[in-house]
Amino acid sequence: MPAQDATLQSMGAVTARKKIFHSKTRTGCLTCRARRVKCDEARPVCRRCITANRECRGYFSTLPNEDTIAQAWISRVQGICPEAEPPNWDFTQAVHYHFAVLKPAMLHQDDPEFYRKGFIPCRFICQMMADQISKASKARGRLIGPGEDPAFAGLWSKFHHYMAECLQIINQTIRGEGEYQQVQIILGILYLVFMDLYQKASMWHAHIKGFLAYFEHLGGAAVGVDDPDMRNFMSIMLLLATPLNTTTPARDQITGFDTFTDAQLDRFFGPAAKPDMPCPSDFFIGIIHVTRMRGVVRRAETGLAAEQDVRSSLNTIPAKVLEIFDTTCRFDIKEWATELLINDQDLWSPEHSPNSGAALLPVMGEIYGVAVRLYGILTLPEWAIEPWASSASDKYPQVLGLTSHESLRALHRLELLALLRQICGGIAHDEGLAWPLAVAGVAVAEGSADDRAFVERCLWNTWRLPNTVASFVLLIDKLRAFWSSGKTAWEDCFDEPTQCTP
């Protein structure tokens, strides 16, 4: 018996279940914690939720305080069992996201003035959520739209909630209600445009028109050019709206800039090159004029304007094209780049341009010069280009077997691609090539498959950069459809307003 007891005891020692105590985790996502399952803590959403096709509600950045726990207990006693969530928790998470995720990836980014009077939390929350969705899209290699991924349903719902709150503040301020000043209306609409550019389908076109309408209400360019805040806001809007207007059909142009003089446009754009569009002010204004001429030709073709007015406007187009194209050819790019490097050393320093941005700045200027001419050649009628073609025949001779206009298209396409190949992937501010790549994308419809693959690869690689918006991947989708259609006209590619901005 003693031997049997010993044997049984030893067997029991082996088979008895031993309780294992786990330390309670407080760092998992809210969904896994509510379900009491282990969370892998992947961010921005955990893989367990994605695999289970559940909404991932994100993470606490700090532990709940005593008041929060007490409130949760009171709710439970009363028969209500929501998870403890202190006021402004979304704002707390947005601040944490800014410092932990967004700021380290930015080359030069000032921190928001959280405690400044006039700071609007819902606007900041939207910005951080939009960036979170953008980064998640890039990690998956596709844009994530509302309703496309259950794991992001909660994030999209909150994003739209705070966007509605931003709109409400703008409308209240327009009516003279609330605590914010009129300058917040301009800034608020500008932020709406920024948030729109992170999405597939959005209201950016309407919001730009709203911005310009209210800017005109405040006095327009004549007043805004001398007001530091308004001038700064309009400078940003011009950088956004000018390339967007080029990839909008001529029938649906944003015309709010049409009354701006060249001198006013030059004041708004400023003398310094912007990393988003590193080109001389004269080239930037040339883009705006070519877009305006597209609108004039469209109105003439459809009879939307008085015959006398149309005839007068059409007669000025060849001379204007000659002026713009000659400017891009004769402009001293090297002198422009040298002055920039002297006057804006901080912006183009190795710290902010680690991939030799300063050395490649002259090439960027040349790219924009060629792209302005090619944009005009692709969008304006042959009779508008012919006078300049004749004057530039030494530099761009007619190719055997092609017409004068076809020769200009082919030679400028090859020139632009050669310049792009020198620079793509070799500068910190690749996003500044968004518009030239859009122009090249239309031109290579008549080029080789290798040329099309090169343009697509440049757009794709740029979209994968940390802080670029949806324009690049949307351009890829638009260009792919255009190339496969066999068509070659600009309006056939951009038959609807299409994002084209860094």
Side-chain angles (χ1 to χ4, degrees), residues 40-312:
D40 58 37
E41 301 185 30
R43 295 174 186 264
V45 292
C46 79
R47 287 185 288 273
R48 179 183 277 275
C49 288
I50 294 174
T51 303
N53 202 29
R54 294 179 183 274
E55 174 191 341
C56 183
R57 296 182 55 197
Y59 299 84
F60 282 135
S61 53
T62 59
L63 296 179
N65 56 32
E66 293 181 2
D67 292 338
T68 302
I69 297 172
Q71 183 61 45
W73 177 253
I74 293 171
S75 298
R76 177 173 294 182
V77 171
Q78 294 174 343
I80 305 171
C81 299
E83 283 201 45
E85 189 167 338
N88 298 322
W89 197 257
D90 289 331
F91 177 67
T92 303
Q93 286 192 315
V95 173
H96 178 266
Y97 182 89
H98 170 80
F99 287 103
V101 179
L102 185 61
K103 186 176 176 64
M106 298 293 285
L107 291 176
H108 46 90
Q109 173 73 23
D110 295 330
D111 295 329
E113 298 177 349
F114 298 112
Y115 301 104
R116 177 178 54 84
K117 183 179 180 181
F119 178 81
I120 301 178
C122 62
R123 184 188 297 165
F124 175 73
I125 294 170
C126 276
Q127 186 181 1
M128 295 303 103
M129 287 182 172
D131 188 80
Q132 186 177 3
I133 293 169
S134 176
K135 283 181 169 54
S137 296
K138 292 172 183 180
R140 287 157 178 76
R142 61 178 179 84
L143 283 180
I144 300 172
E148 293 182 0
D149 192 326
F152 288 86
L155 187 59
W156 274 114
S157 177
K158 286 188 175 183
F159 176 79
H160 290 138
H161 166 79
Y162 287 110
M163 282 286 281
E165 190 174 328
C166 291
L167 280 168
Q168 184 180 14
I169 290 174
I170 291 172
N171 291 331
Q172 287 176 342
T173 309
I174 289 175
R175 293 193 298 266
E177 304 169 1
E179 59 181 297
Y180 299 107
Q181 299 177 349
Q182 281 189 327
V183 70
Q184 289 294 342
I185 299 173
I186 289 287
L187 185 58
I189 301 174
L190 191 59
Y191 266 93
L192 289 179
V193 177
F194 276 121
M195 297 306 102
D196 288 336
L197 296 177
Y198 284 95
Q199 306 176 56
K200 284 184 181 179
S202 63
M203 296 292 293
W204 61 264
H205 203 253
H207 286 152
I208 291 176
K209 289 182 177 180
F211 176 96
L212 293 170
Y214 194 76
F215 187 83
E216 189 65 28
H217 170 72
L218 295 179
V223 174
V225 76
D226 293 320
D227 183 284
D229 287 335
M230 290 181 66
R231 186 169 65 246
N232 182 50
F233 296 151
M234 179 53 72
S235 174
I236 297 171
M237 179 55 74
L238 275 172
L239 284 168
L240 292 172
T242 297
L244 289 170
N245 220 15
T246 65
T247 50
T248 294
R251 66 176 183 274
D252 199 17
Q253 290 289 303
I254 299 168
T255 58
F257 305 107
D258 286 358
T259 59
F260 290 17
T261 67
D262 286 3
Q264 290 168 340
L265 290 171
D266 186 64
R267 287 284 305 279
F268 286 129
F269 184 73
K274 312 297 190 294
D276 292 342
M277 285 193 80
C279 68
S281 176
D282 289 348
F283 293 6
F284 185 80
I285 295 172
I287 297 171
I288 294 174
H289 277 295
V290 172
T291 303
R292 288 178 182 175
M293 288 186 282
R294 287 176 57 203
V296 171
V297 173
R298 164 71 181 177
R299 290 192 292 274
E301 292 174 345
T302 56
L304 295 177
E307 184 177 348
Q308 184 175 357
D309 293 339
V310 169
R311 190 182 302 111
S312 175

Side-chain angles (χ1 to χ4, degrees), residues 434-462:
W435 185 74
L437 284 169
V439 176
V442 176
V444 296
E446 299 175 317
S448 66
D450 287 343
D451 291 339
R452 292 191 285 273
F454 167 73
V455 171
E456 182 174 336
R457 185 170 63 254
C458 289
L459 288 169
W460 180 260
N461 290 340
T462 306

